[in-house]
Amino acid sequence: QVQLVESGGGVVQPGGSLRLSCAASGFTFTSYGMHWVRQAPGKGLEWVAFIRYDGSNKYYADSVKGRFTISRDNSKNTLYLQMNSLRAEDTAVYYCAKEEYSNSWRPLYYFDYWGQGTLVTVSS
Amino acid sequence: QTVVTQEPSFSVSPGGTVTLTCGLSSGSVSTTYYPSWYQQTPGQAPRTLIYSTNTRSSGVPDRFSGSILGNKAALTITGAQADDESDYYCVLYMGSGIWVFGGGTKLTVL
């Protein structure tokens, strides 16, 4: 079965950096694009970033563009989110999520499976 | 800046029917936005309910249905149950590799 396990969260000071990981199993990781989605405490969900199956294209929400970098290591079935210049408003649970395709490999543009999330707290 | 709108809260009686909507601050939602819906209870990861406007995700009961109603995407719950009390989020694909969540609807079953 599909499993997505995030790690790397913790407490970091404003202006600091952190790298999140998402270990994937139960599916052919190299064939699927992957997302990061976050949720600030008591707030709604916010899409953060997407990377295509082969890492050829990356997309970001305006709120993180230029500060966060999504990447993947297909040899390790692992997705990453490098977060730099962190701000208090980046405090959130960060989820990784898998995309899905139709039977004819047309993208369906939704979040198919989700991990359990990892908490990032930006505070001095 | 495109804003995806949802009702902040809604209530439904057990056994009743409720329709939650997902709109745009400017313009109409259509199938080309590939609307999808997610259910989330406190402390849990989101659960995928509906994708591509009206396709139920695996294991989702058929009392959950999706549609386009007027200029919005809609999630209808028929025969609401106590454990449907959750937060519900829609997402629209805006094109060019950008997704936008709505603010979520807190559904109370009472």
Side-chain angles (χ1 to χ4, degrees):
Chain A
Q1 73 281 20
V2 172
Q3 275 202 304
L4 299 171
V5 180
E6 302 92 338
S7 61
V11 179
V12 60
Q13 291 189 339
S17 298
L18 208 58
R19 189 178 81 156
L20 306 183
S21 300
C22 169
S25 61
F27 66 102
T28 306
F29 182 72
T30 54
S31 297
Y32 291 89
M34 297 292 295
H35 297 267
W36 286 102
V37 176
R38 70 182 179 182
Q39 186 170 36
K43 303 296 185 182
L45 297 167
E46 179 187 15
W47 173 78
V48 172
F50 171 70
I51 185 169
R52 287 178 56 87
Y53 68 98
D54 58 358
S56 59
N57 294 92
K58 306 172 185 181
Y59 305 90
Y60 300 93
D62 286 345
S63 57
V64 306
K65 199 174 296 182
R67 300 188 300 123
F68 289 13
T69 301
I70 189 171
S71 64
R72 62 193 296 157
D73 186 336
N74 282 350
S75 69
K76 296 181 178 179
N77 285 359
T78 301
L79 173 73
Y80 301 102
L81 185 68
Q82 177 67 43
M83 304 185 295
N84 298 332
S85 304
L86 282 161
R87 307 165 180 167
E89 55 264 36
D90 296 318
T91 294
V93 173
Y94 285 74
Y95 297 99
C96 64
K98 168 187 167 292
E99 77 162 343
E100 183 57 302
Y101 296 95
S102 69
N103 290 339
S104 55
W105 285 98
R106 178 176 57 83
L108 295 173
Y109 302 113
Y110 78 106
F111 312 105
D112 183 12
Y113 283 90
W114 300 70
Q116 284 303 305
T118 187
L119 176 62
V120 173
T121 302
V122 184
S123 173
S124 54
Chain B
Q1 180 83 356
T2 302
V3 175
V4 177
T5 61
Q6 295 185 248
E7 299 87 358
S9 63
F10 230 117
S11 64
V12 62
S13 300
T17 296
V18 63
T19 297
L20 312 182
T21 68
C22 176
L24 283 169
S25 56
S26 177
S28 299
V29 177
S30 66
T31 57
T32 60
Y33 285 89
Y34 294 87
S36 55
W37 292 89
Y38 305 84
Q39 178 191 48
Q40 188 184 36
T41 53
Q44 299 296 313
R47 170 197 182 196
T48 306
L49 294 177
I50 300 285
Y51 63 93
S52 296
T53 305
N54 57 13
T55 303
R56 273 185 296 277
S57 188
S58 178
V60 174
D62 60 7
R63 55 200 182 76
F64 292 89
S65 62
S67 63
I68 299 291
L69 287 181
N71 62 350
K72 297 182 180 182
L75 173 70
T76 300
I77 306 173
T78 305
Q81 300 180 1
D83 60 4
D84 294 335
E85 187 161 293
S86 301
D87 296 325
Y88 291 85
Y89 295 91
C90 70
V91 173
L92 301 180
Y93 178 60
M94 310 307 288
S96 302
I98 302 297
W99 285 258
V100 179
F101 278 90
T105 297
K106 183 177 182 63
L107 180 68
T108 301
V109 181
L110 52 76

